[in-house]
Amino acid sequence: MDTKPAPALQQQRSGMEQNDRLDALQAQFGIIGRVSLEQGRNDLPLVRLNGRHGQALVSLEGGQVIDYTPTGQPPLLWLSQQSRFQPATPIRGGIPICWPWFGDHPDHPQLPAHGFARISRWQLLETRVEGDSTYLQLGLDSSAESRALWPHDFQLRLSICLDQQLTLTLSSRNTGGRPFTITEALHSYFRVGDIEQLTIHGLEGFSYRDKLQSLQEKTQVGDLRISAETDRVYLDSASTVRLSDSSLQRQIHVAKRGSLSTVVWNPWDQKARAMVDFDDQGFRQMVCIETANALSNRIELAPGTSHQLSCILSSEAG
Ligand code: BG6
């Protein structure tokens, strides 16, 4: 006799298992009024953080912040309506984690773009509240699957702290016996009112590699405005970037620690249309300002050592 349940029943059971897992996570990590677990699209588990100054939503799939809304303001992060929310598939928007390589793998371009952290399921490790701060830590450790893509032992931790600002710290530790090199990014997608009314301050005078022109080296003259496809890696740039959004009348500050590269990306119309998970006109309401260590700013980690990359996001009317 065939004892396999019918597909519909199977689906129902796996939905029930997901619910049980979510209930268990809620019992272990929920904090009344501040941290709760919820089921996102396609049953993907999400963690909601609440505080006096705002709220954030984090997907365990990808270890990815998908919403940050400061109290009394429109959402700070852009999320594509076409995002697929499928396991092992990048979510388009929020703050994907690019790790342990940024962009294409330097030697094996067939490997997943931007590494595997953003397509991995992260573990929920800790939630905590201290006064106005709501704190969450996620983890991703090396495994047989990660070693098949990248032959190193590591411990990756993502700490998220929500208070007057949103602070993300990605901590990479080499737990193996050999040194390794990483490139990385907190690939933040910011929501703006109208890309053509946005001025980006803080990059003037820095040199950048233009990814649209075979990594040609150029220098930023004056503030940056975007009116066409843009894909640049500013090198040796540790300073805070300010987005002055005259259409939403908002200033966004992107401060950072442990980051020497700033990536600026907007696909503009044709590339946006070519991406299945990107709203056709979405490029008008977004810009990526990525807190990164890329190209020559790569990080070398000896056995037993670690590196921390942080971005601190804040905003005010103006
Ligand atoms: C940016 C890169 O960081 O991410 C771009 O500089 C890339 O070259 C963009 O197109 C989006 O990448 P993906 O893999 O999410 O489509």
Side-chain angles (χ1 to χ4, degrees), residues 59-208:
S59 165
L60 296 186
E61 194 64 41
Q64 187 162 338
V65 176
I66 57 171
D67 175 51
Y68 167 42
T69 304
T71 304
Q73 287 188 31
L76 200 88
L77 300 175
W78 180 86
L79 180 66
S80 170
Q81 298 300 308
Q82 311 304 321
S83 272
R84 284 165 290 174
F85 291 100
Q86 295 287 354
T89 308
I91 299 171
R92 178 71 65 192
I95 313 182
I97 308 290
C98 305
W99 195 95
W101 58 88
F102 170 81
D104 288 337
H105 187 285
D107 307 315
H108 305 288
Q110 76 282 7
L111 289 176
H114 287 322
F116 52 80
R118 68 172 178 167
I119 51 171
S120 299
R121 173 64 68 96
W122 291 57
Q123 293 295 312
L124 180 46
L125 297 179
E126 188 190 354
T127 54
R128 188 157 42 87
V129 162
E130 279 171 26
D132 279 348
S133 306
T134 312
Y135 173 88
L136 168 72
Q137 191 182 54
L138 305 180
L140 180 70
D141 292 350
S142 42
S143 61
E145 291 85 52
S146 72
R147 278 183 217 104
L149 296 169
W150 194 63
H152 298 287
D153 289 325
F154 64 86
Q155 200 178 60
L156 199 55
R157 295 289 177 266
L158 179 68
S159 302
I160 300 171
C161 180
L162 170 74
D163 43 31
Q164 288 92 336
Q165 50 206 15
L166 186 76
T167 304
L168 267 66
T169 299
L170 182 70
S171 172
S172 312
R173 171 170 286 278
N174 181 346
T175 54
R178 290 178 298 132
F180 61 62
T181 301
I182 54 168
T183 51
E184 56 182 350
L186 301 168
H187 189 310
S188 327
Y189 287 75
F190 291 100
R191 177 173 180 234
V192 300
D194 175 358
I195 185 71
E196 295 192 74
Q197 290 185 48
L198 180 76
T199 308
I200 302 171
H201 306 270
L203 295 168
E204 49 280 17
F206 286 103
S207 74
Y208 64 90

Side-chain angles (χ1 to χ4, degrees), residues 303-318:
T305 63
S306 60
H307 168 78
Q308 260 123 37
L309 170 73
S310 302
C311 68
I312 303 112
L313 313 181
S314 58
S315 60
E316 82 249 348

Side-chain angles (χ1 to χ4, degrees), residues 90 92 98 102-103 113-114 118 185 187 189 211 231-233 263-265 271 275 288 290:
R92 178 71 65 192
C98 305
F102 170 81
H114 287 322
R118 68 172 178 167
H187 189 310
Y189 287 75
K211 291 185 77 176
D231 194 356
R232 303 175 174 184
V233 182
V263 180
V264 179
W265 180 62
K271 275 228 174 112
M275 284 184 271
C288 288
E290 307 169 35

Side-chain angles (χ1 to χ4, degrees), residues 53 68 70-76 164 242-253 313-318:
H53 303 283
Y68 167 42
T71 304
Q73 287 188 31
L76 200 88
Q164 288 92 336
R242 178 167 56 91
L243 306 182
S244 183
D245 181 347
S246 56
S247 111
L248 284 184
Q249 301 203 316
R250 173 160 78 174
Q251 306 288 318
I252 298 177
H253 304 265
L313 313 181
S314 58
S315 60
E316 82 249 348

Side-chain angles (χ1 to χ4, degrees), residues 18-65:
Q18 302 266 22
N19 279 342
D20 289 351
R21 271 200 291 264
L22 206 66
D23 288 349
L25 286 174
Q26 175 69 33
Q28 192 179 353
F29 295 103
I31 302 176
I32 292 169
R34 303 294 287 273
V35 181
S36 56
L37 274 292
E38 49 188 77
Q39 217 155 43
R41 270 173 40 204
N42 299 322
D43 293 334
L44 294 189
L46 303 176
V47 188
R48 186 173 291 281
L49 305 182
N50 279 299
R52 200 152 68 87
H53 303 283
Q55 56 170 297
L57 195 58
V58 182
S59 165
L60 296 186
E61 194 64 41
Q64 187 162 338
V65 176

